[in-house]
Amino acid sequence: MTVMASHAPDLAACDGLSALERAKRQPLMLGLFLPIQNGGWTISSAPRDTDWSFNYNAKLVVQAEEAGFDLAFGLAQWLGSDGHGGATNYRKYTIDPLLVTSGVAALTRNIMLISTIHVLYGWHPLHLAKFGATLDHMTCGRWGLNLVTGFRPNEIDMFGLDPIPRDERYVRAAEFTDILEALWRSDKDISWTGDYWSLKDAYVSPKPVHGRPILVNAGSSEAGLAYAAEYSDLIFITSPGGAEISAALETLPAHTGKIKALAAAKGREISTIINPHIICRDTEREVEKVCQAILDGEDAPAVDSLVGTMSEGDQTSWRGHERRQRIIGGNIQIFGTPEQVVEQLLSLKSAGCDGVQINFFDFASDLSYFADNVLPLMKEAGLRT
């Protein structure tokens, strides 16, 4: 039986320009931050069609690829039976990003598919090396790993693990990544005795198309940035100045410059990608109405829960967000007409951001509006080719 034959990767063509190299040729990379959890990124009961289901998200990835987006990915999280609670049971339902990635692999041809994985929650590098090599093969080199270590106490408790100090987490992540890369590149069996993992006569096939899959990190601490500079191709950054765009633009140049200098000191290049929530309409008045409807529908207990879990751990990102900004979502917020949105994206580019990973309020319709009304202006402005 032949499954999705028309979309199966042509392995003979996989030796050309990689998806990562194509994306890096764009003046500003475009990513979609998928809503694979109920409520998406907006903690509100305001009406919309955004849905956490696989079918909805698979359609979004195809829609994003058709619009020319460079990457798509979702978060990984572990919550209890009520999610973050409230009237919406915010994020009670969530699907796994690794499985979502594998599910949409055969539906797409060009877009990078990034899986977020907490590698310290019981994973062995040999498992992930095999799964990653397989996904890399399935996607003709478009698969990437957003490696995260985890910081939330409730998640660590779920797995029956003891807390690990932040800097040590990245020491372990480095060993994990060293083993992954060795397994992906070696044509011989590997034996390895590390401080945290060991191998004996281990081997992984098939070999990744372009040497190794795309590696991503979202660290913001000194240890996290040092890890990213050593290993990552892309880093998902957060604004040191909070969600308001003008405050973010004041702090981002120094932040992005520091990250790129750290990578350059290692003889490497790294691309920075930030997460804006974009609300775009024909007029400012329409944008204000959308924002107000979201705020009027605030799910207050769920907001309190999310803010609480973010503050319980030792992570340093997502600090300084006001309550109203948490309700709407996004690490930074870009609101306005198509022309105003492009102006703000140009400012992010000037501040050292190499890409954006966008989330929307009502994903399918907002993505369609963005493709029809913002992307042409981005091309005129030199942000897309």
Side-chain angles (χ1 to χ4, degrees), residues 70 95 112 118 136 151 155 211 268 279 285 320-321 372:
D70 303 299
I95 50 179
M112 288 186 286
H118 291 89
D136 185 89
F151 69 90
E155 294 183 341
R268 304 185 66 252
I279 298 178
R285 177 57 182 156
H321 283 58
D372 291 342

Side-chain angles (χ1 to χ4, degrees), residues 69-80:
F69 274 56
D70 303 299
L71 66 94
F73 90 110
L75 59 71
Q77 61 179 5
W78 305 89
L79 292 169

Side-chain angles (χ1 to χ4, degrees), residues 260-291:
K260 292 177 182 182
L262 287 170
K266 300 286 185 179
R268 304 185 66 252
E269 292 184 359
I270 189 169
S271 297
T272 56
I273 302 183
I274 198 164
N275 163 225
H277 185 112
I278 294 181
I279 298 178
C280 185
R281 298 292 187 272
D282 291 343
T283 66
E284 292 182 39
R285 177 57 182 156
E286 291 175 276
V287 171
E288 292 169 0
K289 287 178 65 177
V290 174
C291 291

Side-chain angles (χ1 to χ4, degrees), residues 36-246:
I36 61 172
Q37 64 285 333
N38 70 295
W41 300 97
T42 305
I43 317 174
S44 174
S45 61
R48 55 188 157 148
D49 293 328
T50 296
D51 185 62
W52 59 270
S53 69
F54 172 76
N55 285 342
Y56 182 86
N57 280 275
K59 290 177 182 177
L60 283 179
V61 176
V62 172
Q63 183 181 355
E65 179 173 74
E66 291 174 348
F69 274 56
D70 303 299
L71 66 94
F73 90 110
L75 59 71
Q77 61 179 5
W78 305 89
L79 292 169
S81 59
D82 291 331
H84 285 293
T88 62
N89 282 326
Y90 183 61
R91 296 188 178 178
K92 172 184 174 71
Y93 302 103
T94 178
I95 50 179
D96 180 76
L98 178 63
L99 298 182
V100 170
T101 298
S102 61
V104 300
L107 303 177
T108 54
R109 290 179 179 272
N110 300 305
I111 195 167
M112 288 186 286
L113 303 172
I114 312 296
S115 302
T116 303
I117 299 176
H118 291 89
V119 299
L120 301 186
Y121 290 177
W123 281 89
H124 191 284
L126 183 58
H127 282 124
L128 191 49
K130 180 66 173 182
F131 298 160
T134 302
L135 275 165
D136 185 89
H137 179 81
M138 290 165 60
T139 61
C140 206
R142 293 183 290 117
W143 181 74
L145 166 63
N146 177 30
L147 185 151
V148 295
T149 64
F151 69 90
R152 289 183 172 90
N154 70 294
E155 294 183 341
I156 296 167
D157 289 344
M158 272 194 184
F159 287 93
L161 301 172
D162 294 325
I164 303 171
R166 179 175 58 209
D167 288 1
E168 184 184 333
R169 294 200 299 268
Y170 283 103
V171 172
R172 297 191 185 198
E175 181 177 301
F176 195 104
T177 309
D178 286 338
I179 297 173
L180 286 178
E181 291 201 345
L183 288 165
W184 283 329
R185 295 184 187 278
S186 178
D187 290 326
K188 299 179 180 179
D189 295 345
I190 294 177
S191 294
W192 183 297
T193 301
D195 293 327
Y196 306 102
W197 294 277
S198 297
L199 302 170
K200 183 177 180 181
D201 298 331
Y203 183 73
V204 162
S205 68
K207 294 305 174 187
V209 175
H210 299 288
R212 66 159 170 76
I214 303 154
L215 293 183
V216 188
N217 179 246
S220 56
S221 67
E222 293 299 319
L225 295 181
Y227 169 87
E230 181 75 30
Y231 295 100
S232 300
D233 302 302
L234 311 173
I235 180 170
F236 294 150
I237 64 171
T238 55
S239 160
E244 202 277 321
I245 186 66
S246 62

Side-chain angles (χ1 to χ4, degrees), residues 307-318:
V307 172
T309 59
M310 292 294 288
S311 63
E312 285 172 0
D314 59 8
Q315 57 89 36
T316 58
S317 58
W318 294 82

